[in-house]
Amino acid sequence: MLLRAADGECLRAWRGGHIVQVSSLGGLAAFPTLGLYNASKWALEGMSEALAQEVGPLGIHVTIVEPGPYGTDWSGASAVHTEPIAAYEPIREARRAGVTARAPQDPQATADVILELVDTEEPPLRLFLGAYPYPVVEAAYQRRLDTWNAWRTLATRA
């Protein structure tokens, strides 16, 4: 369902509803050559997390859906690319190799999960779709925790 500006007032008046934001793994872990894409997803994540805190007391749920890969031409010939710089070719090659190693998800299974999600009494703020995001996000967050803890002594002196 698409929401218009006036629909926000309806959700508040109803004291309920569920806003589903579609983000991606790129909103939790950054990837080389996708900086602008990552920035847009990180912005969506932050805005949605704040929105959830704002509308939660009104009975409105917010869930950020983080799908894994689908079998689309997302980064292929249908995408607009800048002129490549040769120095970054090894990075692009490594990304392409990683992309081809992933099994695409079934869009129908995703639709079924979203429909079940919106009927849930206490939905999560974030929901990964598929198995692929879990190890990637777990590794990214572990690296962050390790770095924060390794630098805690210096950081707390500030």
Side-chain angles (χ1 to χ4, degrees), residues 9-148:
E9 185 59 37
C10 291
L11 294 178
R12 287 188 294 273
W14 294 336
R15 300 213 43 90
H18 196 154
I19 299 168
V20 177
Q21 302 277 49
V22 179
S23 184
S24 82
L25 179 58
L28 297 170
F31 301 99
T33 74
L34 295 176
L36 292 175
Y37 176 79
N38 290 134
S40 70
K41 294 303 182 180
W42 286 55
L44 176 68
E45 297 267 338
M47 188 274 301
S48 299
E49 192 166 323
L51 178 64
Q53 295 172 51
E54 294 163 6
V55 300
L58 305 174
I60 302 167
H61 301 289
V62 175
T63 299
I64 307 164
V65 175
E66 327 255 4
Y70 291 95
T72 68
D73 189 41
W74 178 83
S75 64
S78 66
V80 176
H81 298 275
T82 60
E83 188 63 36
I85 298 172
Y88 298 105
E89 188 55 32
I91 296 168
R92 284 191 299 276
E93 283 182 26
R95 284 232 5 100
R96 283 191 293 268
V99 167
T100 58
R102 291 182 242 152
Q105 292 178 207
D106 174 17
Q108 183 57 54
T110 295
D112 295 341
V113 167
I114 297 286
L115 291 173
E116 186 174 334
L117 169 72
V118 297
D119 288 334
T120 302
E121 291 274 331
E122 294 295 327
L125 174 62
R126 287 181 174 82
L127 179 68
F128 297 141
L129 298 179
Y132 177 75
Y134 284 93
V136 176
V137 172
E138 288 166 350
Y141 273 74
Q142 189 61 57
R143 283 190 302 273
R144 288 178 191 157
L145 288 169
D146 292 346
T147 299
W148 294 332

